[in-house]
Amino acid sequence: QSALTQPASVSGSPGQSITISCTGTSSDVGGYNHVSWYQQHPGKAPKLMIYGVSNRPSGVPDRFSGSKSGNSASLTISGLQAEDEADYSCSSYTSSRSPYVFGTGTKVTVL
Amino acid sequence: EVQLVESGGGLVQPGGSLRLSCAASGFTFSSYEMHWVRQAPGKGLEWVSYIDSSGNTIYYADSVRGRFTISRDNAKNSLYLQMNSLRAEDTAVYYCAREGGNGYNFDYWGQGTLVTVSS
């Protein structure tokens, strides 16, 4: 099972919006509405930001939103803030014998 | 408050074994599916293994199948990962993670334990 493809880095200025893509196949992202997104600050554990493509857990700001089209999912951060600078990874359920796969990860920089 | 605390990491020689533990608290451990996820230094997250709430259904990543064994003890609120035939490429921080109630995601994570495989 290959990792889902994400851009290595995305940057934006405070207040701007950025979008991180997560590209898979019809066996994972495209086949199920089971895409989730994780934020990870350096040296810290990942934190769930989006589940089920577009659902936010309690406590996650509504600046974070998720969507999916075909074999690609996206995480959008609106009104970018300094504390949003972190690594972001997507994950999807898959039809393979190893049923979960993560993305390659994206470093978000706030300029 | 949900807490997951991993332990058991350390330095081990190639071909060696190590057993990781994850102590859970703040929720009904026996009702939740659990996972191990790892992250090699400077790399992305890699899903490793899954076990359902009863321990009857288990899955592994291709990279560890046949070498790693996941298990749990619901009476002790603990999750385990027995790692045998360790390789240099198994070097990583290993996280235990709870599967979210809505399924197919990881809603709580431990702080991780570092496993280094080197001679």
Side-chain angles (χ1 to χ4, degrees):
Chain A
Q1 178 68 42
S2 299
L4 307 175
T5 301
Q6 298 181 231
S9 63
V10 173
S11 63
S13 299
Q16 287 187 331
S17 293
I18 62 168
T19 297
I20 302 167
S21 61
C22 171
T23 302
T25 69
S26 59
S27 297
D28 39 62
V29 175
Y32 307 92
N33 288 324
H34 299 318
V35 177
S36 52
W37 289 90
Y38 302 87
Q39 177 192 66
Q40 187 178 24
H41 289 104
K44 301 295 187 182
K47 175 186 176 183
L48 177 66
M49 304 301 284
I50 295 287
Y51 68 92
V53 175
S54 60
N55 301 288
R56 276 187 313 277
S58 174
V60 172
D62 60 6
R63 304 183 288 104
F64 292 85
S65 62
S67 63
K68 191 186 88 166
S69 177
N71 295 337
S72 289
S74 297
L75 174 72
T76 297
I77 308 175
S78 305
L80 197 61
Q81 298 184 6
E83 59 261 37
D84 300 333
E85 184 163 294
D87 293 325
Y88 292 82
S89 297
C90 61
S91 177
S92 176
Y93 180 78
T94 90
S95 61
S96 78
R97 195 157 66 130
S98 303
Y100 292 88
V101 62
F102 280 94
T104 51
T106 298
K107 180 175 178 59
V108 168
T109 300
V110 181
L111 302 172
Chain B
E1 177 193 7
V2 172
Q3 285 200 335
L4 298 169
V5 180
E6 301 93 337
S7 60
L11 176 63
V12 60
Q13 292 188 339
S17 298
L18 214 53
R19 189 195 195 206
L20 306 184
S21 299
C22 171
S25 61
F27 66 102
T28 305
F29 180 72
S30 59
S31 296
Y32 284 84
E33 300 149 325
M34 298 294 295
H35 299 260
W36 287 99
V37 177
R38 68 184 181 183
Q39 186 170 36
K43 303 296 185 182
L45 299 168
E46 179 188 13
W47 175 81
V48 172
S49 185
Y50 157 94
I51 187 168
D52 74 351
S53 58
S54 63
N56 291 331
T57 299
I58 285 172
Y59 299 111
Y60 296 102
D62 290 342
S63 57
V64 307
R65 187 175 294 112
R67 300 187 299 122
F68 289 11
T69 302
I70 191 173
S71 63
R72 65 191 297 160
D73 185 336
N74 286 341
K76 294 183 177 180
N77 291 336
S78 293
L79 175 72
Y80 306 102
L81 186 67
Q82 177 67 42
M83 304 185 296
N84 299 332
S85 303
L86 283 162
R87 307 166 180 167
E89 54 264 36
D90 296 318
T91 294
V93 173
Y94 285 73
Y95 296 100
C96 67
R98 191 183 81 167
E99 177 147 330
N102 296 291
Y104 309 104
N105 61 77
F106 315 97
D107 67 348
Y108 283 93
W109 299 64
Q111 85 288 350
T113 187
L114 177 62
V115 172
T116 303
V117 184
S118 174
S119 55

